[in-house]
């Protein structure tokens, strides 16, 4: 499985990372803690809220220059994009 530590530094890298998650879901989705869309989205929201703590716990600096609106647009667009 791809991890964010695999250097997601571009739009193309992010798309490849998401495709990797999709492939993993197709292979092992029932094993995921949050294998349904509703649980996945709830966990995603929870992690985003708690992410400063995750970064602190792993002694990493929280990225200050993330484009949060891009990710929000991508999530919204996925509800209707074909």
């Amino acid at each position: 499985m791809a991890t964010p530590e695999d250097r997601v530094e571009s739009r193309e890298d992010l798309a490849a990372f998401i495709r990797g998650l999709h492939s993993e879901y197709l292979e092992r989705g029932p094993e995921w803690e949050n294998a349904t869309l509703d649980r996945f989205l709830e966990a995603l929201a929870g992690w985003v809220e708690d992410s400063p703590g995750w970064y602190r716990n792993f002694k990493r600096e929280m990225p200050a220059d993330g484009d949060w609106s891009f990710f929000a647009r991508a999530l919204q667009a996925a509800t209707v994009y074909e």
Side-chain angles (χ1 to χ4, degrees), residues 25-40:
Y25 177 77
L26 292 175
E27 292 175 21
R28 300 184 19 223
E31 298 170 23
W32 283 18
E33 177 77 21
N34 301 303
T36 63
L37 181 59
D38 64 320
R39 289 187 64 181
F40 180 85

Side-chain angles (χ1 to χ4, degrees), residues 6-25:
D6 290 337
R7 304 199 46 101
V8 177
E9 296 181 342
S10 68
R11 183 175 47 86
E12 293 81 10
D13 291 347
L14 178 58
F17 177 78
I18 294 168
R19 289 190 196 289
L21 283 176
H22 183 234
S23 292
E24 181 186 341
Y25 177 77

Side-chain angles (χ1 to χ4, degrees), residues 17-74:
F17 177 78
I18 294 168
R19 289 190 196 289
L21 283 176
H22 183 234
S23 292
E24 181 186 341
Y25 177 77
L26 292 175
E27 292 175 21
R28 300 184 19 223
E31 298 170 23
W32 283 18
E33 177 77 21
N34 301 303
T36 63
L37 181 59
D38 64 320
R39 289 187 64 181
F40 180 85
L41 290 173
E42 182 60 32
L44 178 60
W47 190 91
V48 168
E49 287 174 346
D50 295 340
S51 60
W54 184 92
Y55 278 89
R56 236 184 347 268
N57 290 341
F58 286 90
K59 300 191 183 350
R60 295 181 181 206
E61 189 171 326
M62 176 100 176
D65 59 350
D67 185 350
W68 300 107
S69 61
F70 176 84
F71 192 60
R73 281 187 199 99

